[in-house]
Amino acid sequence: MSLEQLFIDKPKNILSIYYTAGYPNLEDTVPMLEVLQKNGVDLIELGMPFSDPLADGPTIQNSSLEAINNGMTVKKLFEQLENFREKVTVPVILMGYMNTVLQYGFEAFCEDAASVGINGLILPDMPKYEFEKTYKAVIEKHGLKFIFLVTPETSVERVLELDKLSSGFIYAVSSSSTTGTDKDMDLVKNYLQKLNSLNLKNPVVVGFGIKDKESFNDASEYANGAIIGSAFVKQISSAKDRFQDAEAFIKSLF
Amino acid sequence: MATIKTSEKFAVSEEGYYGEFGGAFIPEMLFPNVEELQSRYLAIMNDPAFQKSFDQLLKDYVGRPTPLYKAERLSAKIGANIYLKREDLCHTGAHKINNTIGQILLAEKLGKRKIIAETGAGQHGVATATVCALKGLECEVFMGEKDIERQAPNVARMRMLGAKVTPATSGSKTLKDATNEAIRAWINNPTDTHYIIGSVVGPHPYPDMVARFQSIISAETRKQLVEQTGSELPDYVFACVGGGSNAAGMFYNFLDESSVQLVAVEAGGLGVNSGFSAATTALGKTGILHGSKSILMQTEDGQIVEPHSISAGLDYPGIGPLHAHLFKSNRGIFLNATDEEALDAAFELCRLEGIIPALESSHALAGLNKLNFKPDDVVVVCLSGRGDKDMSTYMQALEERTK
């Protein structure tokens, strides 16, 4: 399913889960995507592990380091994803950092991502300037979406610029912070109402600090949906029970 | 300070690039802070009132100008005229304070109340804690857990000065990870906090801003050389490079002087091919870390490799983008010195000149043995710091050597 279709079919309460590829076991990637889809997840952000993930907190950094130690690489990830579209139909976005993508080769990366059936990319350390100058054309050539982040500190003018450059959706960071930090929901609401009032061209999915049914529902009220990352990754640390734990966690959100 | 002269050939571009290196690869959460710095740093630094405060503190508080000392016995041994730029005589014992004085004045102008910093050897942490005490600002220093153990005297100094020292427990638990944690702390405190980066790394404008604050080193050197040799220009300048702040300061006012050889000495660790090294230009390739594009030690898949050096201040897997550009364009000569060679150079300077250098600076000194000089060559070595913090490492080496 395309991202556009997803937001047409389900304009509210989109449940998006972030999952670190190759964690807790190297070969868990595709089976975990299947578990997520089976339990009603609408959209998956698949994390490509990086040794120094600046925008993430300790939970995601640790899962990334474990995945790297397991042998996860970009090349390995594309091998794992080779026929995953036979089993998984929900949109999947790759999320990671510029350096691993550059080492793979930016164009080769986009080509391979598109050919295995990835819908789009989130690269938090991609600057707007570089995107416009160099990378936008390559990403579009391969039919991928690119999702920018906005924060409560982002000026209205810049939100509008980033909305214009984004495709698929806009990722609203619920407050200026790394992943896995608690948030004051009233502040988040005010901020999301402000975003709503701007009539953005893209749907808004909110992330950072969403950890359970209550915070998911609160966040979804003023956005098209919400992303749960650290809270999910924390649940699946057991190498033995990770699929059951994942299922139980997703069920607890409904 | 007069307005700092910029290089014609090696100045940073408007987008923060030195050739292909630099830029600002930052998550959106950092954008307002970084953008504020980008748009205001030059205007603030060029303001005469700011310059007056900066000059005054460098003179009366730091003790500048630092001497340029002709090391006669070392010169005789090397076979050239060796001058030492004595940054080790700065208040707090290293060049790091030139930058922290500048940035604390800038933080005041920006109305920030809290300062965060990363540190490797602890010299930048001490220099930051010092200026925070001076200005009455809250200070938190992130330091790798491993470095906290091996640089105990500097940890004690920071605490004595009122700073909170927070261990970085992620990754390799050294400077790279302390930098990650400091950046994360900045993301989580977006409005009232200034991040004082200690080296010429990080997103634009940090590499240029820090280089400008450190450029006092080469500005003074030019004046002192005229007095001592009759010419402003030496044949060579040497500096050690971890991230590269003292090298940037030592090179800055010589960048456009093509007759001056700029020599950067990286940490070879146990040897470049040993798997335990921090010789970035020998081992690295282009990549992005801590907000800028530079040369980095990394795996084929782009994971950052843990470096090794006996010197905590050089234990960093990258170099500043200016240095990457100097390397790539062949403007600089890049050497490396092993842990052992640095120790040898440290003991030699002690015995010949009565100066105990920092382990970082000892790498620059070790570089002197790697080039062939003519007898009348004038060579300036940036003696970036003093060795008090390294005494336990030196004593251990001394014991092993006298066995």
Side-chain angles (χ1 to χ4, degrees):
Chain A
M1 186 192 292
S2 71
L3 277 169
E4 289 97 330
Q5 196 59 46
L6 171 67
F7 287 98
I8 290 168
D9 291 355
K10 191 175 175 187
K12 290 297 288 181
N13 291 311
I14 297 277
L15 171 61
S16 177
I17 294 286
Y18 168 94
Y19 162 64
T20 306
Y23 176 81
N25 303 313
L26 180 62
E27 298 298 340
D28 284 347
T29 311
V30 175
M32 189 61 82
L33 298 184
E34 289 180 81
V35 169
L36 294 176
Q37 169 167 290
K38 194 182 93 195
N39 287 282
V41 171
D42 301 303
L43 169 63
I44 298 166
E45 284 180 61
L46 184 56
M48 301 179 287
F50 178 47
S51 54
D52 296 81
L54 279 186
D56 291 300
T59 304
I60 289 177
Q61 173 156 19
N62 288 336
S63 69
S64 299
L65 293 181
E66 275 195 46
I68 292 166
N69 290 337
N70 288 343
M72 183 45 81
T73 62
V74 175
K75 188 162 167 272
K76 179 78 197 168
L77 178 61
F78 285 137
E79 281 167 26
Q80 290 180 343
L81 293 177
E82 186 131 23
N83 296 309
F84 94 110
R85 279 302 178 199
E86 291 168 8
K87 298 168 186 158
V88 179
T89 55
V90 298
V92 177
I93 309 292
L94 290 182
M95 180 165 187
Y97 289 82
M98 286 291 283
N99 196 51
T100 48
V101 177
L102 286 187
Q103 300 315 316
Y104 192 84
F106 200 91
E107 171 115 42
F109 178 86
C110 291
E111 194 179 331
D112 291 355
S115 82
V116 299
I118 290 298
N119 300 75
L121 309 176
I122 300 178
L123 301 170
D125 57 348
M126 164 79 84
K128 177 172 161 285
Y129 163 79
E130 309 287 340
F131 178 78
E132 289 181 286
K133 192 177 128 207
T134 313
Y135 299 112
K136 183 171 182 279
V138 183
I139 292 166
E140 285 175 356
K141 180 177 153 195
H142 294 283
L144 295 168
K145 308 291 182 196
F146 191 87
I147 293 105
F148 275 100
L149 275 59
V150 299
T151 83
E153 257 54 71
T154 309
S155 68
V156 168
E157 193 191 4
R158 189 168 162 87
V159 170
L160 295 173
E161 286 168 7
L162 293 173
D163 178 48
K164 213 164 145 191
L165 292 174
S166 288
S167 48
F169 61 94
I170 280 266
Y171 189 152
V173 179
S174 62
S175 82
S176 275
S177 62
T178 48
T179 53
T181 324
D182 278 334
K183 302 298 175 318
D184 180 337
M185 262 303 155
D186 283 338
L187 286 176
V188 175
K189 278 181 190 170
N190 287 340
Y191 156 61
L192 293 175
Q193 279 172 323
K194 194 184 95 182
L195 281 182
N196 265 340
S197 71
L198 297 175
N199 293 317
L200 302 181
K201 84 169 201 222
N202 286 293
V204 174
V205 179
V206 57
F208 287 43
I210 320 258
K211 57 180 186 219
D212 51 21
K213 186 174 178 177
E214 193 194 347
S215 49
F216 175 74
N217 287 339
D218 281 351
S220 308
E221 200 176 325
Y222 299 97
N224 301 83
I227 301 171
I228 301 179
S230 299
F232 173 73
V233 172
K234 248 181 222 162
Q235 294 301 318
I236 56 162
S237 61
S238 157
K240 190 166 138 280
D241 303 321
R242 73 270 188 213
F243 298 125
Q244 293 94 307
D245 291 345
E247 188 164 313
F249 180 78
I250 305 300
K251 283 188 170 150
S252 77
L253 299 170
F254 290 102
Chain B
M1 107 192 177
T3 299
I4 293 162
K5 205 179 112 209
T6 47
S7 160
E8 283 169 23
K9 296 178 200 147
F10 296 96
V12 78
S13 75
E14 205 177 314
E15 287 78 26
Y17 275 88
Y18 301 92
E20 64 181 285
F21 302 109
F25 294 82
I26 49 162
E28 186 62 27
M29 295 81 94
L30 281 178
F31 181 80
N33 276 327
V34 170
E35 207 263 338
E36 180 181 40
L37 281 177
Q38 287 175 352
S39 62
R40 295 190 61 189
Y41 83 110
L42 284 178
I44 291 173
M45 289 179 71
N46 291 333
D47 173 27
F50 180 91
Q51 292 176 358
K52 199 177 158 209
S53 311
F54 183 61
D55 286 349
Q56 194 81 45
L57 282 172
L58 287 186
K59 177 168 171 279
D60 298 335
Y61 187 72
V62 175
R64 302 205 72 94
T66 58
L68 183 72
Y69 164 70
K70 171 91 184 280
E72 292 288 359
R73 296 184 66 207
L74 182 63
S75 297
K77 200 241 152 197
I78 298 286
N81 301 291
I82 310 294
Y83 291 82
L84 303 178
K85 182 58 175 163
R86 299 289 310 274
E87 294 300 299
D88 61 317
L89 295 176
C90 288
H91 177 44
T92 72
H95 72 290
K96 292 288 185 188
I97 198 159
N98 302 326
N99 170 47
T100 60
I101 292 272
Q103 286 204 48
I104 202 82
L105 292 172
L106 188 109
E108 274 192 320
K109 286 273 176 207
L110 296 173
K112 306 288 182 182
R113 296 305 308 163
K114 191 182 165 191
I115 299 297
I116 52 175
E118 85 297 337
T119 197
Q123 289 303 113
H124 174 58
V126 168
T128 303
T130 298
V131 296
C132 287
L134 179 70
K135 292 294 184 181
L137 296 181
E138 191 186 331
C139 180
E140 181 173 8
V141 179
F142 294 86
M143 187 169 188
E145 208 171 40
K146 194 171 140 196
D147 292 335
I148 288 181
E149 281 165 29
R150 59 179 171 173
Q151 302 288 337
N154 274 342
V155 176
R157 290 165 81 199
M158 285 184 266
R159 293 200 169 127
M160 180 86 185
L161 290 159
K164 182 180 169 200
V165 180
T166 302
T169 55
S170 59
S172 57
K173 303 176 176 61
T174 61
L175 180 54
K176 159 180 95 79
D177 309 284
T179 307
N180 288 340
E181 293 307 325
I183 293 175
R184 287 179 179 139
W186 206 23
I187 288 175
N188 287 315
N189 296 279
T191 51
D192 63 343
T193 302
H194 176 65
Y195 174 23
I196 302 192
I197 295 186
S199 194
V200 286
V201 301
H204 175 63
Y206 279 103
D208 185 48
M209 181 168 73
V210 176
R212 283 166 183 265
F213 286 134
Q214 293 293 0
S215 69
I216 184 79
I217 299 172
S218 48
E220 285 177 8
T221 299
R222 286 184 74 125
K223 281 190 201 154
Q224 291 164 323
L225 276 175
V226 178
E227 289 161 18
Q228 297 186 36
T229 70
S231 166
E232 285 188 275
L233 302 181
D235 298 293
Y236 296 87
V237 291
F238 275 70
C240 63
V241 174
S245 69
N246 89 87
M250 187 76 248
F251 296 168
Y252 196 92
N253 290 285
F254 298 115
L255 287 168
D256 291 336
E257 308 287 359
S258 56
S259 69
V260 181
Q261 302 287 335
L262 310 176
V263 186
V265 187
E266 295 183 287
L270 301 182
V272 169
N273 297 315
S274 66
F276 297 90
S277 177
T280 303
T281 58
L283 296 167
K285 57 187 170 158
T286 301
I288 294 167
L289 179 68
H290 297 147
S292 63
K293 189 185 274 189
S294 187
I295 299 173
L296 299 173
M297 290 170 54
Q298 55 186 314
T299 65
E300 197 189 333
D301 189 48
Q303 310 299 345
I304 306 305
V305 167
E306 295 178 14
H308 165 85
S309 170
I310 194 171
S311 134
L314 303 182
D315 209 347
Y316 186 72
I319 51 172
L322 167 64
H323 297 302
H325 183 47
L326 296 178
F327 173 73
K328 205 65 181 275
S329 62
N330 291 317
R331 174 65 186 96
I333 299 172
F334 282 71
L335 308 174
N336 58 76
T338 63
D339 293 351
E340 282 300 313
E341 288 168 336
L343 287 168
D344 290 343
F347 286 116
E348 183 175 80
L349 190 74
C350 292
R351 305 294 162 87
L352 289 177
E353 300 289 346
I355 297 170
I356 303 177
L359 266 168
E360 289 76 19
S361 321
S362 303
H363 286 74
L365 293 163
L368 291 172
N369 297 316
K370 294 174 184 276
L371 293 183
N372 294 315
F373 302 109
K374 296 195 291 292
D376 60 350
D377 279 343
V378 171
V379 180
V380 180
V381 181
C382 187
L383 199 69
S384 55
R386 68 179 186 224
D388 307 40
K389 70 184 175 61
D390 298 312
M391 287 315 295
S392 70
T393 309
Y394 286 147
M395 283 305 96
Q396 206 183 333
L398 196 61
E399 269 170 39
E400 278 165 22
R401 284 163 185 226
T402 48
K403 259 179 201 163

